[in-house]
Each structure stands twice: as C-alpha cells, then as structure tokens.
Amino acid sequence: HRHKFWETQPVGQFKDLTDTSLPEGPIETPTAISEVKQEPYNLPNLYEWVTCDMNSEDTCAEVYNLLSNNYVEDDENMFRFNYSKEFLRWALHPPGYYKAWHIGVRVKSSKKLVAFITGIPARIRVRTDVVSMAEVNFLCVHKKLRSKRLAPVMIKEVTRRVHLENIWQAAYTAGVVLPTPITSCQYWHRSLNPKKLIDVGFSRLGQRMTMSRTLKLFKLPDSPATPGFRKLELRDVPAVTRLLRAYLMQFVVAPDLDELDVEHWVLPKEEVVDSYVVESPEDHKITDFCSFYTLPSSILGHPTHSILKAAYSYYNVSTKTPLVQLMNDALIVAKQKGFDVFNALDVMRNESFLKELKYGPGDGKLHYYLYNYRIKHILRPSELGLVLL
Ligand SMILES: COc1cccc(CC(=N)NC(=O)c2cccnc2OC2CCNCC2)c1
C-alpha cells in the first residue's frame, strides 16, 4: 500500500522493527553473478536506458541541466539543489568507479535525458564489519514524468548493475521516510550572509531583532583563530588519512577510507570541496582537520537573487583544537569565500558545536538507509560517521 515497491525489497521493514530475533547483517545472501539478470529491466516503450559518460562535456551538461531543473527542492519549493558540473564529475569519479553505474533514461525519439540515477563504490564499516557497498545518489525523474513509476525500475536497474559487480549492499539518503531509516538526522544552518538569507526567504528576522542586530549576531572575524590553520595539501594526505581513520572508528557506521579515497574526497578542489588542517607550529604535526563541500541552490522565482551559495559540513576531526573552535574557523573561511550559509547535520560530534556557533535548526530531516543490511537498533545521529553528497 504506502510502500508498494519498498515492501518488495531486502530492506528493514517497519513490521520487523520489534522482532529483535532477526540478526544484524545482510538480509539476502549474494547469488552467483550468472544468476543476476543479464539484461536491463524493461522501461515503458517510449524510453531507453543510456550510460552517462560524465567525462563527456555534452553528457555532463545534459545531466547538469536535468538536475538543475528537476532535482530535490526544499519543502516550500523555494530552493532547488544546483550541483555544478565539476561537482558531479568529482562526486561520480572516486577511485574504482563504474561508468555503468551512471544511468540515464532518454526519450527514444528525441534522445532527451529525462531521468538519472547513480551508484559509486564505497567500503562502509558497520560496527566491525567492512562491507563493499554502492552509494546510490542523484535519483531524478523529470517533473513531467512523475508518478509513472519510473523510480522503482531505475532503482532495480542500478541494483542489477551493482549486483553484476558482486556488490550486494548499498547506502542512500532521502528527505522522506521509507522502510526503514538506520537513523534520521536534523539539518542545521549557520547564517553567513544574513541579509541575503532574509531577502530570499531562507531565514526570517528573529522576533525582537532588527537587521543591524542580526548582522552583528552573525558577524565573524576576518581570519581563523587557530595558529597553524591552513589549506590541506597533497603532502598532508597520509597524516589526514591516519587522523580520519582513527576518528571514524568511534562511529557505528562510517566509511573505511584509504589514502587514495582521502586524496579524492578531501584534496581541495575549487568550487567543489574545501579542506583545512591545523599544523602544530611546535612540531609540525597535523592535529586537526575540517572540510566542507560546495552545493549551491537555485532560488526559485526571486527577482534579484538566483543562487544561494551554500557550504555543507563534510568530515571534521579534532584531536587538539577544540571542535567548536575548529568549526568556527571553518565558518570564517567559508564567509571569506563568499558562502551565504553553512549547513550541517547533527551527525558525528556536530551536536557539540551547533548551538554555540549559532546554527539554527532546518525545517526537515535527512534519513539514512542501508540496502540489504539489517541493523538491530536504529542509530542515534551521533553514532553515524557517514556524509553523503
Ligand atoms: C537550501 O536549498 C535546498 C534545496 C533542496 C533541499 C533543501 C533541504 C534539504 N533537503 N537539505 C538537505 O537534504 C541537507 C541539509 C543539510 C545537509 N545536507 C543535506 O543534504 C545533502 C546530503 C544528501 N543529499 C543532498 C545534499 C534545501
């Protein structure tokens, strides 16, 4: 009824939540690859599958335009994610990626791209179990093709192609509740450019607050406070990998990142991802690290502003600098770079700095899911060490 499709899938079902006899781990056992459906699922007649080569400028532009006009909007339909082409190429080309997992649907006659879904390979640890998974993302169906039940067949097709690579689990997020979240995170926003945020309706002037009082409230210093705070460089990757691996061990679910992963995911990339280290002035050791990714949103129907420049907290590790000070330095450099807002989920240890750094709660939740992997108890957001793009 409500979840006609998801009730047919190997995911935690709501009815099983109370059945504590069910073991933690894979729900269905892997099959031989020869057992996996060899041909693509059937699409409605007018449409055909296409593999999207994101290294092709034309294809990347088609994907960009589809997402820019049809991807996720906020609950009030005032903003829509506007992932850049550079960001999409970065997000979809991590070490070991499969081009076949970048799946499009075209109209046979016009060749117009009308739907998209992607997977990338990732090693995700669940407690002590490191599992090869697909991170599924960017599911998008053109606004004019909604309710044609295209999403279920796209999910089945990406699952089939993931199975063909002998991978049987996946991780994904959604703004809606599906069977069954492993955790549900609250998102928070820290104003950097409060005047613009109020102009475009992202924020409202607090009660008993004037604009000048609001500007003062969110004002930040011109430069970071922490001595040794600097941009991450290639030479820092081994040290940051050690720092990050040790830090992520405390969480129940977290990526198992090696140096190549860290180099791909956190080496600074203009307008895509920014990352900073704290190099101790005494002994030049890397003691802390913070990072955020660039995900602008289109502002729908505003007369003078068209883009909201948003930074999203990514991975942050503090071993010497207090996390709150490290994250305030992240706000300072984000403001210097012209971001309007800095977003964070209440995952990992983020709860410890959100209120102190004047984040306000967002009006929605981001739910995390595992495919074909049952966990015994729903996690607290602070037990989650995984940030998806
Ligand atoms: C401000 O523009 C928006 C445009 C579309 C949706 C939303 C609300 C929203 N759904 N936000 C999030 O999902 C979110 C809030 C904080 C941190 N990460 C987030 O989502 C990330 C991770 C999941 N994939 C999308 C980006 C806001």
Side-chain angles (χ1 to χ4, degrees):
H1 53 303
R2 268 170 67 87
H3 299 292
K4 246 170 67 61
F5 169 68
W6 285 109
E7 283 165 1
T8 70
Q9 298 298 297
V11 292
Q13 298 297 332
F14 292 129
K15 62 180 172 37
D16 296 340
L17 270 179
T18 52
D19 185 347
T20 55
S21 71
L22 292 166
E24 185 151 294
I27 294 169
E28 286 180 348
T29 55
T31 70
I33 293 188
S34 55
E35 297 286 295
V36 176
K37 189 175 185 314
Q38 301 296 303
E39 67 289 338
Y41 280 90
N42 288 334
L43 279 168
N45 249 348
L46 294 175
Y47 308 105
E48 64 188 4
W49 296 111
V50 63
T51 295
C52 294
D53 175 2
M54 299 303 287
N55 283 324
S56 146
E57 185 51 44
D58 292 350
T59 304
C60 192
E62 283 185 280
V63 170
Y64 168 79
N65 286 316
L66 174 73
L67 295 176
S68 182
N69 294 310
N70 300 279
Y71 198 48
V72 177
E73 296 173 7
D74 71 305
D75 289 349
E76 293 172 61
N77 304 104
M78 295 171 65
F79 308 100
R80 187 184 306 126
F81 287 137
N82 186 242
Y83 288 88
S84 73
K85 287 187 284 185
E86 260 315 294
F87 189 106
L88 292 168
R89 271 192 281 266
W90 170 70
L92 296 176
H93 290 162
Y97 78 91
Y98 301 94
K99 203 179 288 294
W101 294 7
H102 304 157
I103 305 168
V105 172
R106 289 190 185 285
V107 179
K108 276 178 187 159
S109 53
S110 65
K111 300 299 176 202
K112 183 175 173 354
L113 188 70
V114 291
F116 188 61
I117 188 167
T118 68
I120 55 167
R123 281 184 321 286
I124 307 281
R125 177 181 50 76
V126 183
R127 293 190 214 284
T128 57
D129 194 11
V130 176
V131 184
S132 275
M133 297 197 188
E135 285 178 6
V136 175
N137 206 343
F138 303 114
L139 169 57
C140 179
V141 173
H142 194 287
K143 283 172 179 274
K144 291 194 177 122
L145 300 185
R146 299 283 165 89
S147 314
K148 286 178 173 293
R149 307 298 294 169
L150 270 177
V153 69
M154 295 184 70
I155 294 165
K156 286 193 286 193
E157 181 60 13
V158 73
T159 304
R160 186 187 72 84
R161 297 189 188 192
V162 169
H163 285 164
L164 287 173
E165 299 298 343
N166 198 26
I167 291 174
W168 306 92
Q169 272 74 35
Y172 51 104
T173 61
V176 290
V177 178
L178 305 166
T180 299
I182 61 166
T183 193
S184 296
C185 308
Q186 171 73 47
Y187 37 85
W188 293 72
H189 315 289
R190 206 289 184 180
S191 297
L192 300 176
N193 182 354
K195 183 166 177 344
K196 178 174 173 185
L197 295 181
I198 291 166
D199 282 353
V200 304
F202 182 88
S203 312
R204 281 184 300 282
L205 208 49
Q207 68 260 37
R208 293 196 302 280
M209 288 282 281
T210 60
M211 182 56 84
S212 68
R213 172 93 182 74
T214 302
L215 295 175
K216 219 167 114 201
L217 173 71
F218 292 117
K219 186 146 182 55
L220 288 163
D222 290 336
S223 51
T226 308
F229 186 91
R230 62 168 172 80
K231 277 186 97 51
L232 186 144
E233 297 168 18
L234 187 59
R235 63 190 168 96
D236 302 315
V237 165
V240 167
T241 304
R242 282 191 293 277
L243 215 54
L244 195 47
R245 290 183 63 82
Y247 191 79
L248 290 174
M249 286 314 285
Q250 68 188 292
F251 305 113
V252 171
V253 173
D256 178 66
L257 300 165
D258 65 19
E259 286 188 11
L260 282 179
D261 299 320
V262 171
E263 181 180 334
H264 177 80
W265 290 122
V266 298
L267 205 56
K269 210 176 179 65
E270 197 75 20
E271 311 247 324
V272 170
V273 60
D274 289 282
S275 49
Y276 296 84
V277 295
V278 175
E279 178 183 335
S280 157
E282 293 92 55
D283 60 8
H284 303 290
K285 290 259 183 293
I286 307 293
T287 54
D288 314 279
F289 151 76
C290 65
S291 59
F292 50 89
Y293 62 83
T294 299
L295 170 51
S297 279
S298 303
I299 303 171
L300 307 177
H302 193 275
T304 57
H305 293 289
S306 60
I307 291 286
L308 181 72
K309 209 182 167 197
Y312 286 71
S313 177
Y314 200 26
Y315 290 101
N316 307 295
V317 179
S318 89
T319 68
K320 191 180 128 213
T321 309
L323 185 59
V324 65
Q325 179 182 320
L326 184 71
M327 294 311 290
N328 198 54
D329 284 344
L331 293 176
I332 291 166
V333 293
K335 168 70 182 171
Q336 293 306 312
K337 284 169 159 288
F339 286 95
D340 298 320
V341 64
F342 198 106
N343 296 319
L345 296 165
D346 58 357
V347 297
M348 294 183 271
R349 295 191 174 193
N350 292 355
E351 185 94 59
S352 68
F353 61 76
L354 292 168
K355 289 197 177 81
E356 188 171 347
L357 294 184
K358 300 170 188 160
Y359 283 74
D363 58 7
K365 290 213 160 198
L366 189 68
H367 309 277
Y368 277 74
Y369 301 93
L370 292 180
Y371 182 92
N372 194 22
Y373 199 97
R374 188 193 318 282
I375 54 154
K376 257 192 182 317
H377 307 289
I378 190 163
L379 304 184
R380 293 186 302 276
S382 58
E383 294 177 295
L384 184 70
L386 177 64
V387 177
L388 298 186
L389 301 172

